[in-house]
Amino acid sequence: MAVLLHRHPSQGEDVSQQAVPALVEPAAELTTDEVRRYSRHLIIPDVGMAGQKRLKNAKVLVIGAGGLGSPALLYLAAAGVGTLGIAEFDEVDESNLQRQIIHGMSDIGRSKAESARESIAEVNPYVEVVVHDERLDNDNVLQVFEGYDLIVDGTDNFATRYMVNDAAYFLKIPYVWGSIYRFDGQASVFAPTLTDDAPCYRCLYPEPPPPGMVPSCAEGGVLGVLCASIGSIQVNEAIKLITGIGDPAIGKLVIYDALELEWRKLKVRKDPSCALCGENPTVTGLIDYDAFCGAVSDEAAEAAAGSTISVTQLEAMLKEREEGTRDFDLIDVREPNEFEINRIPGARLVPKGEFLNGNALGDLPSDKPIVLHCKSGVRSAEVLAIVKGAGYADAVHVGGGVVAWVSQVDPSQPTY
């Protein structure tokens, strides 16, 4: 899964056609069994025998076997893509099953990559699956990408997206990008090495959003079926690129609003000043993407330094508060719907937005310390910077947040 748009692109509505040749040469032949299996493709004139042979010969890497990767992998396999790579390091969690349809109850705790491999074998035994059961980073990304014709990107964080974009550009591999958040989705094809005027991801988003500005799906949620909507678009674009049919979404941004059932298609122009694919590039190799994107702002990191407590420390503090030997104000900065799922006993809810707009500052106590927490510690660190800036120098936040609390202190509560 993936976080969504972080600023509105200043792009026009006029979207022109981008004809590109087929990405893959046809395989020598289809077996009798394959002809039977793919017959509904073969009778489509635009696909036909030649198109299906190209799919058989294609090598596609899907990054992530999660929300977007699940439908993408299943439909790419069903379509007859000959070799499917899966780049995934995570394990299946029960909270995944609301949207990650390639996994089931019996897969909980297993490698997502291995679970996906088995599901693909059930869908289409003629597909060769290559598992990359490792976290992509600067040390392995170029090696993992090497040899693939196309990449389908289902990542869920900005640092990995920029790394995927840069690595694909350096290796001259086009890729299909998708992003989802709550009820909204986006998709595009980035292929600056296929056509001269094709943009890359950095042309659309030259800079990542400020840390903490855009919540992840783990923080904000995502409608499960939205993954299928955007994942199927990604597969559709992949099939078009592989077979050379239709008008691929190169230089276009597809935006979907599931609540209003609205689709928009915007033109994305190549940026001559793009740091990667522009006329005078400044990004000529892989960079430190975590530093480029930042998990938290510099202000939050500075505020949290020396002002972070563990959940076990908080547990001891809460016991002292019950005994009357200590007092402090424990504030949960998550959203109300998160507060309904689980909570740290004795916390009061004041969402992060109330601190951003300043409304919460007037209600903070001046006669006792302030302890902040969120789901994982990112939002509470951002709020901590605001609170310290308002003069509450002794305020602290809880590292790991309620996730760590449930894991280490109270496992009877559900996680999300």
Side-chain angles (χ1 to χ4, degrees), residues 303 307 369-372 384 387-388 392-397:
S307 297
I370 296 167
V371 179
L372 303 162
L384 182 65
V387 170
K388 282 182 173 288
Y392 296 86
D394 59 350
V396 298
H397 88 123

Side-chain angles (χ1 to χ4, degrees), residues 95-416:
S95 66
N96 301 149
L97 303 183
Q98 163 257 7
R99 63 203 177 280
Q100 299 180 17
I101 58 171
I102 205 166
H103 313 296
M105 285 294 295
S106 61
D107 297 313
I108 293 175
R110 297 182 61 215
S111 158
K112 283 187 179 180
E114 291 299 333
S115 168
R117 182 212 291 268
E118 292 182 6
S119 296
I120 290 169
E122 284 292 311
V123 170
N124 191 345
Y126 302 113
V127 175
E128 179 185 354
V129 179
V130 180
V131 169
H132 305 277
D133 195 355
E134 56 188 323
R135 182 191 295 269
L136 291 179
D137 56 31
N138 285 17
D139 294 330
N140 63 16
V141 65
L142 294 175
Q143 180 181 0
V144 171
F145 283 14
E146 191 72 51
Y148 286 100
D149 302 304
L150 181 67
I151 293 166
V152 174
D153 181 16
T155 54
D156 62 354
N157 65 87
F158 290 109
T160 307
R161 284 185 187 156
Y162 282 100
M163 180 181 66
V164 169
N165 177 74
D166 296 357
Y169 178 78
F170 295 138
L171 293 173
K172 303 187 185 316
I173 304 174
Y175 77 100
V176 185
W177 167 76
S179 176
I180 49 177
Y181 177 68
R182 290 185 174 169
F183 300 98
D184 301 313
Q186 300 177 6
S188 188
V189 174
F190 298 112
T193 57
L194 284 185
T195 62
D196 292 337
D197 57 348
C200 75
Y201 181 75
R202 286 180 181 268
C203 294
L204 180 62
Y205 299 128
E207 299 287 339
M213 181 64 67
V214 179
S216 67
C217 291
E219 294 175 346
V222 61
L223 186 69
V225 72
L226 180 67
C227 303
S229 300
I230 301 303
S232 63
I233 289 177
Q234 291 181 279
V235 174
N236 188 60
E237 293 306 307
I239 290 173
K240 287 156 60 179
L241 289 166
I242 291 167
T243 60
I245 63 174
D247 180 14
I250 297 173
K252 304 168 193 172
L253 177 65
V254 178
I255 303 174
Y256 176 48
D257 181 341
L259 276 184
E260 300 298 328
L261 194 59
E262 289 184 351
W263 294 90
R264 287 189 296 154
K265 187 166 61 175
L266 306 181
K267 184 175 180 61
V268 181
R269 297 182 177 87
K270 184 182 181 69
D271 183 2
S273 61
C274 175
L276 182 71
C277 68
E279 297 171 358
N280 298 292
T282 56
V283 177
T284 57
L286 301 178
I287 64 173
D288 186 338
Y289 296 96
D290 289 330
F292 177 61
C293 295
V296 297
S297 66
D298 292 340
E299 294 80 6
E302 182 179 350
S307 297
T308 300
I309 64 172
S310 68
V311 291
T312 52
Q313 288 176 295
L314 176 61
E315 182 184 25
M317 291 168 60
L318 286 170
K319 289 180 180 178
E320 291 174 356
R321 190 168 75 170
E322 289 179 4
E323 295 166 354
T325 59
R326 187 171 193 166
D327 196 16
F328 57 92
D329 191 7
L330 179 60
I331 301 176
D332 186 334
V333 303
R334 297 177 298 162
E335 295 301 310
N337 52 321
E338 295 177 90
F339 193 70
E340 292 179 0
I341 298 172
N342 57 20
R343 66 190 69 177
I344 298 177
R348 67 184 182 99
L349 180 67
V350 185
K352 175 185 172 183
E354 294 299 301
F355 288 94
L356 292 177
N357 62 29
N359 291 340
L361 296 176
D363 295 329
L364 295 178
S366 57
D367 58 343
K368 53 186 174 183
I370 296 167
V371 179
L372 303 162
H373 87 81
C374 63
K375 179 181 180 180
S376 63
V378 175
R379 282 174 284 177
S380 59
E382 299 288 346
V383 173
L384 182 65
I386 297 172
V387 170
K388 282 182 173 288
Y392 296 86
D394 59 350
V396 298
H397 88 123
V398 182
V402 74
V403 170
W405 178 269
V406 173
S407 172
Q408 301 176 37
V409 179
D410 184 9
S412 67
Q413 293 198 61
T415 57
Y416 66 100

Side-chain angles (χ1 to χ4, degrees), residues 35-48:
V35 169
R36 281 196 296 262
R37 173 178 286 269
Y38 306 125
S39 61
R40 296 303 186 273
H41 273 177
L42 300 179
I43 59 178
I44 301 174
D46 289 334
V47 180

